[in-house]
Amino acid sequence: MDHDGTEKRSMTAAELFDGLGVEYERAFVRLPAQREAIEWLTARLGAGARVLDVGSGTGRPVADLLARAGCEVTGIDVSGEMVALASAQVPGARFEQCDVRAFDAPEGHFDAVCAFFPLMMMSRAEAAASLGRMAGWLAPGGFLVTATVPADVEDVEIVWMERTVRVSSFSVEEYLRLQREECGLDVLHHAVSSFAPDDERAAPEEHLFTYARRPSLPEGGAQTSPTS
């Protein structure tokens, strides 16, 4: 309850990131495992590769690094404030305000999809379905590079950067199983690391980074769609 006796409501993802704006970038922009993931990805993509950045935030560092590497970048984010910041800071990419659950793209449209922490403020069923949709947007041989905070939790209320939010996540084992069995991806790499954000309001946290690939088409064969 708040001081006036009304029930305290958890923030939506749009409200949270509208309020944080560039503060989020300052806290997380130097995340080493994220930069390593982008360097790994860009080393495998050709010039003009189409990349979707889900939960693109302020555009830095992910969309910025991808655009500088010559990729054709589309960023989506639920926060209008983040989209405005990203559009101003990374003019070499295109951004739109959209939830991944509502975004529409043709099957196999993207050479890669990046999804760094965008699924935690939805139910586990929605997060699993979103992973499946992202896998379906990959061209055969395309890459899905993701990060999450691994935990076996569903709809848990936490205070993060002085904001009250509700989060869900998966254990390391379940997150990998979803990508392999439900999404039909080959997980090429996964690693858990710890990171202390550059903001005293955000406690150190564990991160799980995964690099996965949609199998290439067999010669003369047809690609089956991942579960959506």
Side-chain angles (χ1 to χ4, degrees), residues 17-57:
F17 289 102
D18 278 345
L20 283 173
V22 77
E23 294 175 52
Y24 181 79
E25 178 184 318
R26 292 171 183 152
F28 288 89
V29 71
R30 68 172 185 86
L31 178 50
Q34 187 176 59
R35 287 182 176 269
E36 290 169 10
I38 296 304
E39 289 171 2
W40 180 92
L41 180 61
T42 54
R44 288 158 177 80
L45 295 176
R50 292 180 295 194
V51 183
L52 177 67
D53 183 13
V54 177
S56 47

Side-chain angles (χ1 to χ4, degrees), residues 13-99:
E15 290 169 338
L16 172 65
F17 289 102
D18 278 345
L20 283 173
V22 77
E23 294 175 52
Y24 181 79
E25 178 184 318
R26 292 171 183 152
F28 288 89
V29 71
R30 68 172 185 86
L31 178 50
Q34 187 176 59
R35 287 182 176 269
E36 290 169 10
I38 296 304
E39 289 171 2
W40 180 92
L41 180 61
T42 54
R44 288 158 177 80
L45 295 176
R50 292 180 295 194
V51 183
L52 177 67
D53 183 13
V54 177
S56 47
T58 67
R60 293 177 178 167
V62 177
D64 187 38
L65 292 172
L66 290 167
R68 290 176 186 274
C71 298
E72 181 184 310
V73 184
T74 301
I76 61 171
D77 201 286
V78 295
S79 164
E81 176 65 19
M82 289 296 193
V83 168
L85 284 167
S87 298
Q89 295 191 143
V90 190
R94 183 180 70 84
F95 299 93
E96 63 178 276
Q97 185 178 358
C98 186
D99 191 306

Side-chain angles (χ1 to χ4, degrees), residues 112-199:
V113 176
C114 297
F116 296 119
F117 311 103
L119 306 178
M120 298 188 66
M121 290 182 67
M122 59 180 74
S123 71
R124 287 203 283 201
E126 290 171 323
S130 295
L131 281 171
R133 298 184 79 228
M134 289 188 281
W137 296 330
L138 292 173
F143 298 100
L144 175 65
V145 180
T146 79
T148 189
V149 177
D152 186 10
V153 296
E154 174 86 35
D155 196 33
V156 171
E157 185 175 271
I158 64 169
V159 176
W160 181 76
M161 294 188 74
E162 298 182 341
R163 276 83 166 172
T164 300
V165 297
R166 303 195 74 87
V167 299
S168 300
S169 192
F170 304 98
S171 67
V172 173
E173 295 75 18
E174 178 63 8
Y175 193 70
L176 296 177
R177 187 197 70 79
L178 285 169
Q179 292 192 43
R180 288 172 174 144
E181 298 181 16
E182 303 298 326
C183 299
L185 301 175
D186 296 326
V187 178
L188 308 176
H189 167 83
H190 74 276
V192 176
S193 56
S194 296
F195 177 70
D198 288 331
D199 191 311

